[in-house]
Amino acid sequence: MWISKIELTCFKSYQHQEFIFPEPANGKNVVLIGGMNGYGKTSVLEALYLCLYGKDAMAHLARAGLKTDDVRGYPTFLEKAFNGEALRDGRDTMLVRVTVNRSKAKAIEITRKWYFRSNGSWTDEEATVRTITRNVPDMPRSDGKNGFNLADTLDDFFVPAHIAPFFFFDGEEVKKLADQSRIEQVKQGLEGLLGVVLLRSLADRLRQFENSRRQGVVTVDEERLGQLERSLSEHEKQDQELSHHIDAAREQKRLLADEFQSLLERVTSAGGGGGDTATYKELVEEREQFRVKQRENMRAQEEILSGRLPFHLASKPLLEAMRRQLEAEVRFFKWEGEKQALEPRKNEFRAALEAQASPIIRPPLSDEQMAALRARLDAAWACLFYPPPDDCAERIIHSYLGFQDRAKTLEFLDSIAVSQREVGDLLSEHAQLTQRIDDLGRKISKLEGIDRDGTLAALTQQLKEVQQRGDALDEEIRSDERRKTALETQIVTQRADYERDEKSWTNPPQRVRL
């Protein structure tokens, strides 16, 4: 396995750049990145860490020899990394994509995007992973959604975050420490890079586990429990802050709506409309209504382009095969659920059989004979359920989906049809709305032409600014709501983990003497 490509977009000094790395051969499996000072070597290393591990990378950047801001943390690090020219051009996205090859024919592509407001402050991020087989990519999976976690994928197939500095590090920083005769720091750094610290920790954990097994008690790592509690508290605090921020933004939006209405009335009373103030006000309100319809039309187009249309790029046999597989998996899990529901009845039957005292069996069955009888009973019971029905799936392909998720996916496949007429109607409607908005704009401008002392023009400019601030607030609220939804999902998972581990810690299993 090797990193074959790193792609940077609007990251630090890179507006867009791709770095291609060859497949290791002949035992040459170390990649050295060299260059003059200030040419972006460290930026590539930072991008690699951030793409793979996100916020978790911050704790390991220092161990890798990179400089971080421990006080201001992750958001400040991202805001400094966002390319300045991209910000000035009005772009709002920074992206890093890392491709990891398992073989020449198979690879995984990890993409992380960060979103920023117009003032350069970080608002949100998303990470996706997709498998590429013979240069054909699968559908991307989003980190934290539908039971998929990027960290688990990295643990299983690549490099977990806690040992990343062993594989990715800044050699210049290690050399600087050595040049300054800082022997202890170099020693600690090399031990970390070589995994010595990790091995010591593993040895301690193994000894603790051995002692726990000897005592007959399963213990929970107290440090991990504390980390879970701190992380859960921090995320709950962030969730509460987001709720306050959203409520404040909505209140500000309401005040802006009142201000807009007040300004509109002042514009009309100042002469907008050439004496017919009602006409000017009605035109402005009518234009705003058409703008709302235009935004709804754009959302409908985006839903087709990003939701349904991509499935039409796949062949019909492939979609039908996916549908048949999902339906077969649904039938399999339904069958398995019915089987498990009847499992207690088997145990009741076995208990009733063993409790019978008549007719008397002479001579009494030996322990071996009883064990054989139980085994035959289990085998006979299993014959009632195996093999599964012929229409059940022989192999579960979509294991990342739950039972309800499969049903929702089948419903979605039934709704992906896109007709030429539907697209044409949307485009025609958009053109008509645009034309109507332009016509209304010309009428409004004509009515505004009576302004002589500049009062009307100033009020009209204020009206436009209030409208722009309202649009910006709408976008900010939507962004915060996306972050809040993702955070709430993470909180639910962490709270379940914490409550389970806390219960195991405070109420260990009792020892039973036989």
Side-chain angles (χ1 to χ4, degrees), residues 46-63:
E46 289 171 341
L48 179 62
Y49 267 96
L50 291 172
C51 177
L52 296 178
Y53 309 114
K55 188 175 182 179
D56 292 340
M58 296 301 293
H60 306 290
L61 289 176
R63 283 185 55 206

Side-chain angles (χ1 to χ4, degrees), residues 247-285:
D247 292 341
R250 285 174 176 163
E251 176 62 19
Q252 190 176 355
K253 183 70 169 55
R254 186 188 66 78
L255 294 175
L256 279 176
D258 294 341
E259 185 179 353
F260 181 87
Q261 190 64 31
S262 174
L263 282 169
L264 184 57
E265 292 173 358
R266 289 175 62 192
V267 168
T268 55
S269 64
D276 187 0
T277 58
T279 301
Y280 183 86
K281 181 178 179 181
E282 289 168 0
L283 287 175
V284 172
E285 290 177 344

Side-chain angles (χ1 to χ4, degrees), residues 4 35 52 195 306 311 316 325 345 386 392 407 411 490 503:
S4 59
L52 296 178
S306 63
F311 283 86
K316 188 174 181 180
Q325 176 65 26
R345 303 294 295 173
Y386 289 97
C392 290
E411 290 178 5
Q490 193 171 7
K503 184 176 180 181

Side-chain angles (χ1 to χ4, degrees), residues 339-356:
K339 176 174 68 71
Q340 291 176 351
L342 290 174
E343 188 69 19
R345 303 294 295 173
K346 181 191 77 171
N347 297 330
E348 292 175 10
F349 178 78
R350 174 191 284 177
L353 176 65
E354 295 181 356
Q356 293 297 318

Side-chain angles (χ1 to χ4, degrees), residues 291-439:
R291 283 175 172 171
V292 171
K293 291 181 180 179
Q294 189 182 51
R295 288 194 289 269
E296 292 174 353
N297 178 277
M298 289 298 298
R299 281 195 290 270
Q301 292 185 46
E302 290 172 358
E303 188 274 330
I304 291 177
L305 288 173
S306 63
R308 292 185 284 162
L309 190 59
F311 283 86
H312 288 262
L313 301 177
S315 64
K316 188 174 181 180
L318 179 62
L319 289 176
E320 289 300 321
M322 181 180 180
R323 185 192 300 275
R324 289 194 299 271
Q325 176 65 26
L326 286 170
E327 290 173 345
E329 289 182 8
V330 168
R331 290 190 291 270
F332 173 84
F333 285 108
K334 184 178 179 181
W335 163 79
E336 189 177 57
E338 294 172 352
K339 176 174 68 71
Q340 291 176 351
L342 290 174
E343 188 69 19
R345 303 294 295 173
K346 181 191 77 171
N347 297 330
E348 292 175 10
F349 178 78
R350 174 191 284 177
L353 176 65
E354 295 181 356
Q356 293 297 318
S358 63
I360 299 174
I361 298 177
R362 295 186 183 280
L365 297 178
S366 66
D367 291 342
E368 292 182 356
Q369 290 171 326
M370 282 299 296
L373 180 61
R374 294 189 189 102
R376 286 196 174 190
L377 175 62
D378 290 341
W381 185 270
C383 287
L384 300 177
F385 300 100
Y386 289 97
D390 293 337
D391 59 353
C392 290
E394 296 181 0
R395 184 166 62 96
I396 303 301
I397 297 176
H398 306 287
S399 57
Y400 54 90
L401 294 175
F403 187 83
Q404 296 297 328
D405 295 327
R406 289 183 176 86
K408 290 179 180 178
T409 303
L410 286 169
E411 290 178 5
F412 175 75
L413 290 176
D414 290 334
S415 67
I416 63 174
V418 179
S419 66
Q420 182 179 357
R421 180 176 180 180
E422 181 182 5
V423 176
D425 288 346
L426 282 173
L427 294 175
S428 176
E429 181 188 24
H430 185 269
Q432 292 173 8
L433 289 169
T434 302
Q435 180 65 39
R436 186 59 179 152
I437 291 169
D438 292 342
D439 290 343

Side-chain angles (χ1 to χ4, degrees), residues 3 29-34 41-46 48-49 53 60-67 159 163-175 177 186 189-195:
I3 296 176
N29 58 354
V30 176
V31 177
L32 299 177
I33 300 177
K41 301 187 300 297
T42 302
S43 297
V44 175
L45 187 55
E46 289 171 341
L48 179 62
Y49 267 96
Y53 309 114
H60 306 290
L61 289 176
R63 283 185 55 206
L66 303 177
K67 295 180 177 62
V159 178
I163 62 171
F166 174 64
F167 296 94
F168 322 124
F169 58 91
D170 190 337
E172 287 186 358
E173 293 299 322
V174 176
K175 181 179 182 299
L177 292 175
V186 175
L190 289 176
E191 285 185 347
L193 295 175
L194 294 174

Side-chain angles (χ1 to χ4, degrees), residues 134-240:
R134 294 183 176 86
N135 296 323
V136 178
D138 290 343
M139 292 295 294
R141 291 180 289 172
S142 297
D143 185 26
K145 295 182 180 179
N146 298 322
F148 174 73
N149 289 296
L150 172 57
D152 295 339
T153 300
L154 294 173
D155 288 349
D156 294 338
F157 300 109
F158 194 53
V159 178
H162 63 282
I163 62 171
F166 174 64
F167 296 94
F168 322 124
F169 58 91
D170 190 337
E172 287 186 358
E173 293 299 322
V174 176
K175 181 179 182 299
K176 287 179 184 177
L177 292 175
D179 291 342
Q180 295 168 8
S181 299
R182 295 170 67 177
I183 298 174
E184 185 60 29
Q185 289 87 336
V186 175
K187 174 177 175 292
Q188 292 176 1
L190 289 176
E191 285 185 347
L193 295 175
L194 294 174
V196 175
V197 177
L198 181 65
L199 291 174
R200 288 174 182 163
S201 174
L202 179 60
D204 292 339
R205 294 287 295 279
L206 286 173
R207 282 192 290 269
Q208 294 173 7
F209 178 74
E210 183 181 11
N211 292 335
S212 299
R213 290 295 296 268
R214 287 176 178 174
Q215 296 170 5
V217 178
V218 179
T219 63
V220 176
D221 190 321
E222 186 175 12
E223 182 180 354
R224 178 178 181 274
L225 188 63
Q227 290 176 346
L228 266 177
E229 183 178 16
R230 290 190 295 272
S231 179
L232 180 59
S233 299
E234 178 64 24
H235 286 152
E236 288 176 339
K237 180 182 177 182
Q238 293 176 9
D239 182 58
Q240 189 176 15

Side-chain angles (χ1 to χ4, degrees), residues 472-488:
L473 271 176
D474 284 337
E475 178 59 33
E476 186 175 324
I477 290 170
R478 286 194 294 270
S479 175
D480 285 343
E481 286 176 340
R482 289 197 299 269
R483 289 182 59 195
K484 182 174 172 61
T485 299
L487 199 58
E488 286 173 346

